[in-house]
Amino acid sequence: MDRRSFVIGSAAAAAALKTSFAQDAYPTRAITVINPFPPGGAVDVVMRPLAAILEPMVQKPVVIDTKAGAAGQVGAQVAAHAKPDGYTLLSHLTSISGFAEVDRLFGRQPKFTNADFIPLARFVADPCVLVCNDQQPYKTLKEFVEDAKKRPHEIVYSSGGLYGASHLPLAYLEKATGPLKLPHLPTSGGGPAITAILGNNAQVTTQSVSATLPHVKSGKLRPLAVFSATRSKLLPDVPTLKELGYDVEYYLWVGIFAPKATPPAIVTTLRAAIGKAVQSDQFKATLANVGQELAYLDGPDFQKFWDIDGKRTDEAVISIGRQG
């Protein structure tokens, strides 16, 4: 899609909301969306094109502010304690659900909990896939599991950070297969975790399908199983864990949140603008270009989903803690 058609389409999508924003006091200045991960990750890939579509709708700049660290905890903490006026939002992943449980696990007072945020929307729910690099002999999940159990503490698993969104799937997998005893190599994000496996500093990782797809196509990474309920359209030859007899399902979702106590009128305004933006052809095309599909949930439905998903995430955190 060229820039001219993108701008024209964004302007058309904005027209439906222009009148209401012109009559509303909010927003009167730039809106900042915190990205708590390094640039180029799942949040960045989703939020930057969305911000470009939102700007003409809200008639103010929508700025992405990267505050990476601690597997996404640093940026989330900043957002949790930001003034609840609609000018500081947070985009985050699956892992946000488990941070309070991590603090409790280590005897710390939680820096924030899920109750500190108001879910505005979920954008995508990208299936995760277990991959090994091309230096490994595994062609199937069974071969990998059998070798891991024969050689405990020898096969390294990389992730985007301790208790992060790409560390949690290992807990789900081990709950189904039994302990695999894989040394864990935490990195600063999904991109560095993939770099680690490409360089054979790690041998396996679980990342989103979209993030690993270019390396799968090049032959550098080999997919062993996907964590989705059905096979990925992008990896149709790769079996699901459920097909292989393991009752495991896990997605790397991306959503957006406002701090608690944000006024209801502002929340409603944001939900309306975001809902319009995500349904635009421009946003859907951008997602398709990076191997994603829209899996939109509006605020109330996202809250229901998050309540259930958060419990599963807490279980995974506790499971990892016990093994540690």
Side-chain angles (χ1 to χ4, degrees):
M1 180 184 302
D2 61 45
R3 177 172 175 80
R4 181 174 179 272
S5 58
F6 183 89
V7 170
I8 292 172
S10 298
L17 288 178
K18 186 173 182 180
T19 302
S20 64
F21 275 105
Q23 298 170 348
D24 200 335
Y26 171 84
T28 59
R29 53 188 172 85
I31 297 170
T32 296
V33 182
I34 293 175
N35 169 21
F37 299 99
V43 168
D44 206 46
V45 166
V46 171
M47 276 308 309
R48 288 195 184 278
L50 185 66
I53 297 170
L54 276 173
E55 282 192 351
M57 291 183 174
V58 300
Q59 302 176 50
K60 290 293 181 290
V62 180
V63 180
I64 308 301
D65 184 12
T66 299
K67 293 187 181 299
Q73 294 182 64
V74 172
Q77 184 177 358
V78 171
H81 298 292
K83 186 177 180 180
D85 56 7
Y87 293 101
T88 301
L89 308 177
L90 171 71
S91 188
H92 217 295
L93 305 173
T94 313
S95 55
I96 189 175
S97 307
F99 290 146
E101 192 60 46
V102 171
D103 281 336
R104 295 187 190 101
L105 192 65
F106 288 95
R108 302 188 297 250
Q109 179 69 25
K111 302 176 187 67
F112 56 86
T113 70
N114 292 359
D116 288 312
F117 300 101
I118 300 171
L120 299 175
R122 187 190 75 177
F123 305 127
V124 297
D126 199 359
C128 285
V129 57
L130 178 70
V131 294
C132 64
N133 63 34
D134 58 357
Q135 298 183 48
Q136 309 313 308
Y138 320 122
K139 299 296 191 297
T140 66
L141 177 69
K142 181 180 178 182
E143 292 175 355
F144 161 66
V145 170
E146 288 178 348
D147 192 41
K149 291 186 174 181
K150 288 177 184 175
R151 300 191 297 124
H153 308 294
E154 292 186 29
I155 304 169
V156 178
Y157 178 96
S158 65
S159 82
L162 189 63
Y163 299 102
S166 58
H167 186 199
L168 298 175
L170 179 60
Y172 286 101
L173 183 63
E174 290 194 324
K175 184 177 180 181
T177 63
L180 299 177
K181 298 181 180 178
L182 308 179
H184 177 219
L185 174 62
T187 67
S188 61
I194 292 173
T195 299
I197 188 176
L198 290 172
N200 204 35
N201 293 311
Q203 288 72 55
V204 292
T205 189
T206 304
Q207 302 292 333
S208 66
V209 168
S210 60
T212 55
L213 191 61
H215 306 293
V216 170
K217 287 183 175 180
S218 72
K220 295 294 185 182
L221 297 180
R222 188 180 307 122
L224 302 178
V226 291
F227 283 63
S228 48
T230 59
R231 291 196 181 197
S232 167
K233 294 178 183 178
L234 299 173
L235 297 173
D237 297 328
V238 181
T240 68
L241 284 165
K242 290 192 173 185
E243 282 181 68
L244 299 174
Y246 302 111
D247 187 19
V248 177
E249 192 173 338
Y250 181 86
Y251 300 86
L252 196 156
W253 53 259
V254 176
I256 190 168
F257 306 83
K260 72 175 181 181
T262 299
I266 291 178
V267 170
T268 298
T269 296
L270 286 167
R271 283 173 49 202
I274 292 167
K276 199 80 174 176
V278 299
Q279 297 296 346
S280 68
D281 291 339
Q282 291 74 31
F283 186 62
K284 292 177 181 178
T286 301
L287 290 183
N289 287 339
V290 293
Q292 294 267 22
E293 289 185 21
L294 183 65
Y296 170 66
L297 290 177
D298 188 24
D301 288 332
F302 184 23
Q303 180 72 71
K304 293 175 184 176
F305 165 82
W306 196 29
D307 289 342
I308 296 170
D309 192 68
K311 291 177 182 177
R312 289 196 295 255
T313 302
D314 285 349
E315 290 172 0
V317 166
I318 292 168
S319 176
I320 292 171
R322 286 172 179 165
Q323 293 172 27

